[in-house]
Amino acid sequence: MDAPLIIGRGLCRYYRRGIETVRALDGVDVTIGAGESVAVVGPSGSGKTTLLNVLAGLDAPTGGDLWIGGRPVRGLSEGALTAIRRGFFGYVFQHFHLLPTLTVAENVVLPLLFLRRPLVPNELQRVLDAVGLADRAHHLPRELSGGQMQRVAIGRALIVRPRVLVADEPTGNLDSANAEAILSLFLDLVAREGLALLLSTHNRDLAARCTRILHLKDGRLWDPQAPVTKT
Amino acid sequence: MTWIRLAWNNLARRPVRTSLTAVGVGLATAVAVSLGGFNLGFRSAIARSIEQLGFQVMVMAKGCPYEAATLMLKGGTGLLYLPESAHEQIRTDPDIEAITPVFLGVAEKPAGGMDEELGAPAFALIAGIEPESYRTMKPWLRFQSGPGYDGGRWFSPESTDEAVMGFEAAQYEQRKVGDLLYLSVVPHGRSEPELHTFRIVGVLERTGSQDDGTVFLPLRTAQRIFGREGQLTIVGGTLRQFNAIRMREFEGRWMSIPEVQVVSLEQVKGALVSLVGTAQTMVAAVAVIAVIVAMIGVLNAILMSVYERTAEFGILKAIGAERRQIFRLVCLETLLLALSGAVGGSVVAVAGVRLTDAALRRLLNLGVSQPMVLITPRLLAVSILGAVALGLLAALWPAARAASLRPVEAIRGQE
């Protein structure tokens, strides 16, 4: 069996808000392996985005231990974290965040510029085919629907051939049909490319299609099947 | 996808802001290039104009020497005259190599002038000269040739009705060789003008000097019609050895004559350069203010762009951009902005060089006939590089701010 891609033990992320300490994550244990699709669900403010950011190396935990690709990240500088996550993660955000003056193709290949990687022949076509936008390569984002824009964002994440696809509320701005289609695309990529998928969502139906669901509440994981204990 | 394309696209997202900022940089560059061109051009323009007088020294009646020199350059007349005997005396000076007497006067043109159609009085600058010695001083003077101008020659010293016209004077009066020229002169001590008729025997080629606007008459004739027989305006000369020691000795010998003063044209050149230096300082101050305003404009535009794109920088970092890459991207955007403005401003400065020259000429009115603004490739290169360097300086803060953004906070901050 392959080694886990991400291991988190006792992960905490505390914020100071005035005199108050916000426990966005409070002792979370997570292990994610290749080929897994993991949905993080929970109410607003439960810490879903914080968990994704910490597991994806975008944010540093204030407590606990984290290994990404087998490398410990505790105490690393932002630069060192950047080096670890470059090419390892592909990110998809709720608001797409495409560059408006770049075409679909240019948005997709943008990360290669930062990674100083040349564009492998047919790689762009492969990605555009994968996200179903081969006929939209030269369109600008404003000429696309919401679902198409999210597909561009997924293509941008895929171009670096990541090990883990991180998607924070990727269907939050889409109607139900587009949301279904995007999730199907994610799951298809996981199956075909052997990626791990880590996504947060409010939509329990979509989450149910993933191989695993992490329930988060007040910064802690909980098991909805576990018997409720009255104190 | 290249860095330049990415940076250019980012600038293109705010076309109005980008254009206005580039225009600001362009204006500052245009001012800097024009000022630099003025700095380069005016010294040589003054030097060339004075060289075209053909003299190293001028002997004239006592008065303000710089006013006298400027009058000579601009083509005016001095109010003071020196006796013609001074010419004979100076001719014998051991340091003198060549010498020529000049009488200057202003005549009214009763007919034929272009301005007459508008009812405005027209005047002609008259120079009474001895052709032989005058030509020795100005060997570059040539007669125009072609239909209507062929056969041009100097008048004989004894002639009473022949004239030679400078290039612009002839163009202005629409005169050619063989035409008549009418001059109305009020002789000294009289109140009524007298009309004189001259036949044009030659029209000079353009020299770019005050000679272009002058009507030349034989010295004796000019003195006679102005009623100032035996008087001269200046005596111009060249020395066998022109250096400070020889000049001082020459001055010492002739300054002792009560009504005479000696002016070295090197002194005049120095005085004019220092006079213009004051104006240059003022214009330089304006240029510095323009550059500072342009820099603030660049800083403002780039800073606003960075603030607006906070989340975007977070995303770029999330998808793999390093701090230095973000820093470089913002600097590259600024470089393109400053470069486009600077190149545009330089083109405007080059295209408007005649306009700038005319404006400076009107402002300073030194009588310098040569172009006063000289824009060289080196000046353009220095100005463009300077604008780019200052633009990059203005970009340091916004670029550092963008580079230091933490991805999570940047994305969260604008969602």
Side-chain angles (χ1 to χ4, degrees):
Chain A
M1 183 182 167
D2 290 342
L5 296 172
I6 303 170
I7 302 170
R9 292 290 174 264
L11 292 174
C12 297
R13 185 66 174 96
Y14 300 161
Y15 301 103
R16 296 285 299 176
R17 188 185 293 156
I19 56 169
E20 184 189 6
T21 298
V22 178
R23 295 168 177 246
L25 282 186
D26 196 8
V28 173
D29 294 333
V30 180
T31 302
I32 295 170
E36 270 197 291
S37 54
V38 179
V40 181
V41 297
S44 294
S46 60
K48 299 190 295 294
T49 297
T50 304
L51 178 60
L52 259 61
N53 287 340
V54 167
L55 293 178
L58 288 173
D59 201 2
T62 49
D65 289 304
L66 177 66
W67 289 265
I68 295 175
R71 297 166 70 184
V73 299
R74 178 194 276 215
L76 290 181
S77 66
E78 194 207 316
L81 262 179
T82 303
I84 286 180
R85 68 172 182 256
R86 293 174 91 193
F88 192 87
F89 293 102
Y91 300 91
V92 180
F93 300 91
Q94 179 180 355
H95 296 289
F96 324 134
H97 289 296
L98 304 178
L99 298 200
T101 52
L102 299 187
T103 64
V104 166
E106 288 169 333
N107 266 291
V108 167
V109 300
L110 185 61
L112 298 180
L113 184 68
F114 301 126
L115 270 59
R116 301 183 193 87
R117 277 194 208 163
L119 183 61
V120 177
N122 300 325
E123 183 70 355
L124 175 62
Q125 196 57 46
R126 177 190 74 83
V127 170
L128 290 176
D129 285 340
V131 297
L133 287 175
D135 59 338
R136 292 278 191 269
H138 302 295
H139 286 233
L140 291 171
R142 66 168 180 269
E143 297 163 342
L144 305 177
S145 68
Q148 287 172 324
M149 280 197 270
Q150 194 58 297
R151 285 169 184 271
V152 179
I154 295 168
R156 184 176 64 186
L158 288 177
I159 196 77
V160 299
R161 289 186 174 269
R163 309 279 302 278
V164 181
L165 208 50
V166 180
D168 187 11
E169 303 272 7
T171 57
N173 272 355
L174 303 178
D175 58 40
S176 57
N178 268 312
E180 277 289 339
I182 290 294
L183 187 71
S184 297
L185 175 60
F186 275 133
L187 297 177
D188 184 45
L189 288 169
V190 170
R192 275 194 291 129
E193 315 231 351
L195 309 174
L197 172 66
L198 180 60
L199 71 85
S200 69
T201 181
H202 280 101
N203 189 323
R204 288 179 183 272
D205 293 337
L206 293 180
R209 294 178 59 191
C210 294
T211 52
R212 193 146 57 99
I213 300 176
L214 300 178
H215 296 269
L216 205 58
K217 188 176 179 185
D218 297 331
R220 294 181 176 199
L221 292 179
W222 64 286
D223 183 358
Q225 309 297 325
V228 178
T229 309
K230 290 190 177 175
T231 54
Chain B
M1 173 57 59
T2 62
W3 286 101
I4 289 181
R5 172 143 172 73
L6 179 60
W8 192 254
N9 269 278
N10 288 336
L11 288 174
R13 281 151 71 171
R14 298 284 183 191
V16 174
R17 184 201 297 160
T18 299
S19 305
L20 287 177
T21 310
V23 165
V25 174
L27 283 176
T29 309
V31 170
V33 168
S34 300
L35 175 67
F38 178 47
N39 268 324
L40 286 177
F42 93 98
R43 285 173 196 272
S44 55
I46 287 174
R48 283 199 304 275
S49 287
I50 286 180
E51 276 163 21
Q52 292 228 321
L53 279 175
F55 316 140
Q56 289 167 338
V57 291
M58 291 195 303
V59 180
M60 57 185 62
K62 270 208 164 63
C64 172
Y66 303 122
E67 184 186 14
T70 309
L71 281 170
M72 276 299 294
L73 284 170
K74 291 165 68 172
T77 55
L79 296 174
L80 301 170
Y81 297 88
L82 74 163
E84 199 171 344
S85 58
H87 172 236
E88 295 307 319
Q89 287 175 280
I90 296 164
R91 189 202 291 273
T92 60
D93 188 282
D95 277 325
I96 280 289
E97 182 183 55
I99 189 169
T100 190
V102 179
F103 178 91
L104 295 174
V106 174
E108 196 170 336
K109 291 175 292 187
M114 283 174 167
D115 283 352
E116 210 176 25
E117 290 170 16
L118 304 172
F123 297 94
L125 174 68
I126 309 299
I129 60 166
E130 283 181 0
E132 197 172 336
S133 60
Y134 198 75
R135 270 171 13 204
T136 308
M137 294 284 175
K138 304 190 183 200
W140 53 83
L141 291 179
R142 299 269 184 281
F143 285 102
Q144 230 185 317
S145 56
Y149 297 103
D150 283 337
R153 62 172 175 81
W154 286 101
F155 36 70
S156 69
E158 298 76 26
S159 167
T160 57
D161 62 351
E162 291 179 337
V164 166
M165 296 188 83
F167 179 85
E168 283 171 12
Q171 290 261 307
Y172 188 75
E173 295 291 325
Q174 299 176 350
R175 292 290 188 275
K176 294 185 175 178
V177 173
D179 290 348
L180 294 179
L181 176 69
Y182 303 96
L183 295 174
S184 175
V185 174
V186 180
H188 178 57
R190 305 264 289 275
S191 57
E192 290 301 311
E194 292 176 357
L195 187 65
H196 302 275
T197 307
F198 297 91
R199 182 165 301 281
I200 312 298
V201 295
V203 174
L204 295 172
E205 285 182 356
R206 186 191 287 278
T207 63
S209 72
Q210 70 288 342
D211 288 339
D212 290 343
T214 304
V215 175
F216 296 92
L217 299 178
L219 177 64
R220 301 274 171 248
T221 304
Q223 288 170 325
R224 179 176 52 75
I225 65 172
F226 282 93
R228 288 193 178 272
E229 286 90 346
Q231 291 184 328
L232 297 174
T233 312
I234 63 153
V235 175
T238 54
L239 302 185
R240 292 182 203 283
Q241 275 186 297
F242 186 68
N243 56 44
I245 298 168
R246 287 289 173 212
M247 187 62 210
R248 231 183 347 264
E249 286 178 3
F250 181 80
E251 275 178 336
R253 283 196 292 278
W254 295 104
M255 290 292 254
S256 57
I257 301 176
E259 65 270 25
V260 164
Q261 66 177 342
V262 178
V263 178
S264 156
L265 288 170
E266 280 300 313
Q267 290 172 330
V268 174
K269 200 190 294 182
L272 291 179
V273 166
S274 100
L275 181 71
V276 176
T278 310
Q280 269 187 309
T281 307
M282 290 168 63
V283 182
V286 173
V288 167
I289 291 169
V291 167
I292 290 172
V293 169
M295 269 187 75
I296 292 171
V298 170
L299 174 64
N300 181 54
I302 297 297
L303 198 57
M304 281 176 73
S305 167
V306 165
Y307 273 114
E308 285 171 1
R309 292 154 60 202
T310 297
E312 182 180 307
F313 287 122
I315 298 292
L316 295 184
K317 286 189 134 186
I319 65 174
E322 297 167 341
R323 287 173 71 111
R324 61 183 171 180
Q325 288 177 320
I326 297 290
F327 186 87
R328 201 165 63 188
L329 177 62
V330 175
C331 286
L332 187 59
E333 288 173 20
T334 313
L335 185 143
L336 289 175
L337 183 63
L339 188 64
S340 54
V343 169
S346 297
V347 169
V348 168
V350 171
V353 68
R354 282 171 184 273
L355 209 63
T356 311
D357 193 85
L360 286 168
R361 210 169 281 282
R362 183 176 283 257
L363 183 73
L364 296 170
N365 197 19
L366 290 174
V368 174
S369 49
Q370 304 293 325
M372 290 176 71
V373 182
L374 180 66
I375 296 177
T376 62
R378 183 184 160 87
L379 172 66
L380 288 174
V382 168
S383 302
I384 291 171
L385 286 177
V388 168
L390 288 173
L392 286 178
L393 195 65
L396 289 181
W397 176 33
R401 189 189 180 280
S404 66
L405 289 170
R406 293 169 59 84
V408 170
E409 287 155 16
I411 297 166
R412 190 191 299 140
Q414 282 198 343
E415 278 194 344

Short mmCIF file of all heavy atoms in Angstrom, two decimals, chain B residues 299-319:
data_model
loop_
_atom_site.label_atom_id
_atom_site.label_comp_id
_atom_site.label_asym_id
_atom_site.label_seq_id
_atom_site.Cartn_x
_atom_site.Cartn_y
_atom_site.Cartn_z
N LEU B 299 3.29 55.42 -8.23
CA LEU B 299 3.14 54.76 -6.91
C LEU B 299 1.67 54.53 -6.60
O LEU B 299 1.25 53.44 -6.19
CB LEU B 299 3.79 55.64 -5.84
CG LEU B 299 3.61 55.20 -4.39
CD1 LEU B 299 4.29 53.86 -4.16
CD2 LEU B 299 4.18 56.23 -3.43
N ASN B 300 0.86 55.58 -6.85
CA ASN B 300 -0.57 55.50 -6.56
C ASN B 300 -1.24 54.42 -7.41
O ASN B 300 -2.00 53.59 -6.91
CB ASN B 300 -1.21 56.87 -6.82
CG ASN B 300 -2.69 56.86 -6.53
OD1 ASN B 300 -3.10 56.49 -5.45
ND2 ASN B 300 -3.49 57.25 -7.51
N ALA B 301 -0.92 54.43 -8.70
CA ALA B 301 -1.55 53.46 -9.62
C ALA B 301 -1.19 52.03 -9.24
O ALA B 301 -2.06 51.15 -9.19
CB ALA B 301 -1.13 53.75 -11.06
N ILE B 302 0.08 51.80 -8.97
CA ILE B 302 0.51 50.43 -8.67
C ILE B 302 0.00 50.00 -7.30
O ILE B 302 -0.43 48.85 -7.11
CB ILE B 302 2.06 50.34 -8.74
CG1 ILE B 302 2.53 50.64 -10.16
CG2 ILE B 302 2.55 48.97 -8.30
CD1 ILE B 302 2.06 49.64 -11.21
N LEU B 303 0.00 50.94 -6.36
CA LEU B 303 -0.49 50.59 -5.02
C LEU B 303 -1.98 50.25 -5.06
O LEU B 303 -2.44 49.27 -4.44
CB LEU B 303 -0.24 51.77 -4.07
CG LEU B 303 -0.28 51.47 -2.58
CD1 LEU B 303 0.73 50.38 -2.22
CD2 LEU B 303 0.01 52.71 -1.76
N MET B 304 -2.74 51.05 -5.81
CA MET B 304 -4.18 50.75 -5.94
C MET B 304 -4.39 49.39 -6.58
O MET B 304 -5.24 48.60 -6.17
CB MET B 304 -4.87 51.83 -6.80
CG MET B 304 -5.16 53.10 -6.04
SD MET B 304 -5.84 54.35 -7.12
CE MET B 304 -7.48 53.72 -7.38
N SER B 305 -3.58 49.12 -7.59
CA SER B 305 -3.69 47.84 -8.29
C SER B 305 -3.39 46.69 -7.33
O SER B 305 -4.08 45.67 -7.34
CB SER B 305 -2.71 47.85 -9.47
OG SER B 305 -2.55 46.57 -9.99
N VAL B 306 -2.37 46.88 -6.50
CA VAL B 306 -2.00 45.82 -5.54
C VAL B 306 -3.13 45.61 -4.53
O VAL B 306 -3.49 44.47 -4.22
CB VAL B 306 -0.67 46.17 -4.85
CG1 VAL B 306 -0.45 45.30 -3.62
CG2 VAL B 306 0.48 46.00 -5.82
N TYR B 307 -3.70 46.71 -4.03
CA TYR B 307 -4.80 46.59 -3.06
C TYR B 307 -6.00 45.86 -3.69
O TYR B 307 -6.60 45.00 -3.08
CB TYR B 307 -5.24 47.97 -2.57
CG TYR B 307 -4.43 48.47 -1.40
CD1 TYR B 307 -3.59 49.56 -1.51
CD2 TYR B 307 -4.49 47.83 -0.16
CE1 TYR B 307 -2.83 50.02 -0.44
CE2 TYR B 307 -3.72 48.27 0.91
CZ TYR B 307 -2.91 49.37 0.76
OH TYR B 307 -2.16 49.79 1.82
N GLU B 308 -6.31 46.26 -4.92
CA GLU B 308 -7.47 45.65 -5.59
C GLU B 308 -7.26 44.16 -5.85
O GLU B 308 -8.22 43.40 -5.92
CB GLU B 308 -7.71 46.33 -6.94
CG GLU B 308 -8.34 47.70 -6.82
CD GLU B 308 -8.35 48.43 -8.16
OE1 GLU B 308 -7.88 47.85 -9.15
OE2 GLU B 308 -8.82 49.56 -8.18
N ARG B 309 -6.01 43.78 -6.03
CA ARG B 309 -5.72 42.39 -6.43
C ARG B 309 -5.18 41.56 -5.27
O ARG B 309 -4.48 40.57 -5.48
CB ARG B 309 -4.72 42.40 -7.59
CG ARG B 309 -5.33 42.96 -8.87
CD ARG B 309 -4.27 43.54 -9.77
NE ARG B 309 -3.28 42.57 -10.17
CZ ARG B 309 -2.06 42.89 -10.60
NH1 ARG B 309 -1.70 44.15 -10.66
NH2 ARG B 309 -1.20 41.96 -10.94
N THR B 310 -5.52 41.96 -4.05
CA THR B 310 -5.01 41.24 -2.88
C THR B 310 -5.33 39.75 -2.96
O THR B 310 -4.45 38.89 -2.81
CB THR B 310 -5.61 41.84 -1.59
OG1 THR B 310 -5.15 43.18 -1.49
CG2 THR B 310 -5.16 41.08 -0.35
N ALA B 311 -6.61 39.43 -3.22
CA ALA B 311 -7.01 38.02 -3.29
C ALA B 311 -6.29 37.32 -4.43
O ALA B 311 -5.86 36.17 -4.29
CB ALA B 311 -8.51 37.91 -3.48
N GLU B 312 -6.13 38.04 -5.52
CA GLU B 312 -5.47 37.43 -6.69
C GLU B 312 -4.03 37.04 -6.36
O GLU B 312 -3.56 35.97 -6.76
CB GLU B 312 -5.52 38.42 -7.84
CG GLU B 312 -4.91 37.89 -9.11
CD GLU B 312 -4.98 38.93 -10.20
OE1 GLU B 312 -6.09 39.45 -10.46
OE2 GLU B 312 -3.93 39.24 -10.78
N PHE B 313 -3.34 37.93 -5.63
CA PHE B 313 -1.97 37.59 -5.26
C PHE B 313 -1.96 36.36 -4.34
O PHE B 313 -1.06 35.53 -4.42
CB PHE B 313 -1.27 38.78 -4.58
CG PHE B 313 -0.91 39.87 -5.55
CD1 PHE B 313 -1.40 41.16 -5.39
CD2 PHE B 313 -0.09 39.61 -6.64
CE1 PHE B 313 -1.08 42.16 -6.29
CE2 PHE B 313 0.23 40.60 -7.55
CZ PHE B 313 -0.26 41.88 -7.38
N GLY B 314 -2.98 36.29 -3.47
CA GLY B 314 -3.10 35.10 -2.63
C GLY B 314 -3.26 33.84 -3.47
O GLY B 314 -2.62 32.81 -3.21
N ILE B 315 -4.11 33.92 -4.49
CA ILE B 315 -4.33 32.77 -5.37
C ILE B 315 -3.04 32.41 -6.11
O ILE B 315 -2.67 31.24 -6.20
CB ILE B 315 -5.44 33.10 -6.41
CG1 ILE B 315 -6.76 33.39 -5.71
CG2 ILE B 315 -5.59 31.98 -7.43
CD1 ILE B 315 -7.37 32.21 -5.03
N LEU B 316 -2.36 33.46 -6.63
CA LEU B 316 -1.11 33.19 -7.36
C LEU B 316 -0.11 32.47 -6.47
O LEU B 316 0.59 31.55 -6.90
CB LEU B 316 -0.51 34.50 -7.90
CG LEU B 316 -1.33 35.23 -8.96
CD1 LEU B 316 -0.58 36.46 -9.46
CD2 LEU B 316 -1.67 34.32 -10.13
N LYS B 317 -0.06 32.90 -5.20
CA LYS B 317 0.86 32.22 -4.27
C LYS B 317 0.39 30.79 -4.02
O LYS B 317 1.21 29.87 -3.94
CB LYS B 317 0.95 33.00 -2.97
CG LYS B 317 1.77 34.27 -3.09
CD LYS B 317 2.03 34.88 -1.75
CE LYS B 317 3.48 35.29 -1.62
NZ LYS B 317 3.80 35.77 -0.29
N ALA B 318 -0.93 30.63 -3.93
CA ALA B 318 -1.46 29.28 -3.68
C ALA B 318 -1.14 28.34 -4.84
O ALA B 318 -0.86 27.16 -4.62
CB ALA B 318 -2.97 29.34 -3.45
N ILE B 319 -1.15 28.87 -6.05
CA ILE B 319 -0.91 27.97 -7.19
C ILE B 319 0.58 27.88 -7.53
O ILE B 319 0.95 27.32 -8.56
CB ILE B 319 -1.73 28.38 -8.43
CG1 ILE B 319 -1.30 29.74 -8.96
CG2 ILE B 319 -3.21 28.34 -8.12
CD1 ILE B 319 -1.99 30.11 -10.27
#
